[in-house]
Amino acid sequence: QVQLVESGGGLVQPGGSLRLSCAASGSIFSTYPMGWFRQAPGKEREFVARIIWSSGSSVHADSVKGRFTISRDNAKKTVYLQMNSLKPDDTAVYYCAAASPRGWPRTYDYWGQGTQVTVSS
């Protein structure tokens, strides 16, 4: 079982920055991805980025490429999402997710509770 707890959300002005954290506990599957997703009101959940614990290999959605960076600290079992040059369209609840052999690549099996990010002046 994997437990995920996100933190770091908040209110920020356009052009500002935030760093989200996702602390994992339990059995981590090091060769499977950890991902960040977001969901804005009235919209479907959207993939943001993912990273492999063991290799650090990462993928970012086109909508955030060049502005957001996913990273991980294996010793702390924590995944980060550094968000720069934030736009109002980035406003959403951001979720951390963990894949496992059970569901990957169809789905991520474990999800955090989400953290709200609001970009507004």
Side-chain angles (χ1 to χ4, degrees):
Q1 195 75 359
V2 178
Q3 293 80 43
L4 304 172
V5 178
E6 302 99 332
S7 61
L11 173 64
V12 63
Q13 292 187 343
S17 297
L18 280 176
R19 189 178 78 158
L20 305 183
S21 300
C22 173
S25 60
S27 300
I28 302 299
F29 300 94
S30 63
T31 60
Y32 286 79
M34 293 285 294
W36 283 101
F37 291 78
R38 65 186 182 185
Q39 188 165 22
K43 294 186 177 181
E44 293 189 354
R45 188 171 60 199
E46 175 188 20
F47 166 78
V48 176
R50 68 171 183 259
I51 192 167
I52 306 295
W53 282 109
S54 56
S55 67
S57 175
S58 64
V59 175
H60 295 77
D62 287 344
S63 59
V64 305
K65 203 171 290 184
R67 299 188 300 122
F68 293 9
T69 303
I70 191 171
S71 63
R72 91 284 191 226
D73 184 327
N74 288 5
K76 295 182 178 180
K77 295 173 72 174
T78 300
V79 174
Y80 304 99
L81 186 68
Q82 178 66 44
M83 305 186 296
N84 300 328
S85 302
L86 283 160
K87 307 173 183 178
D89 284 349
D90 295 319
T91 295
V93 178
Y94 282 71
Y95 297 92
C96 174
S100 79
R102 183 180 65 186
W104 185 256
R106 290 180 297 104
T107 186
Y108 288 76
D109 293 306
Y110 304 97
W111 293 83
Q113 82 288 351
T115 186
Q116 176 71 46
V117 172
T118 302
V119 184
S120 175
S121 55

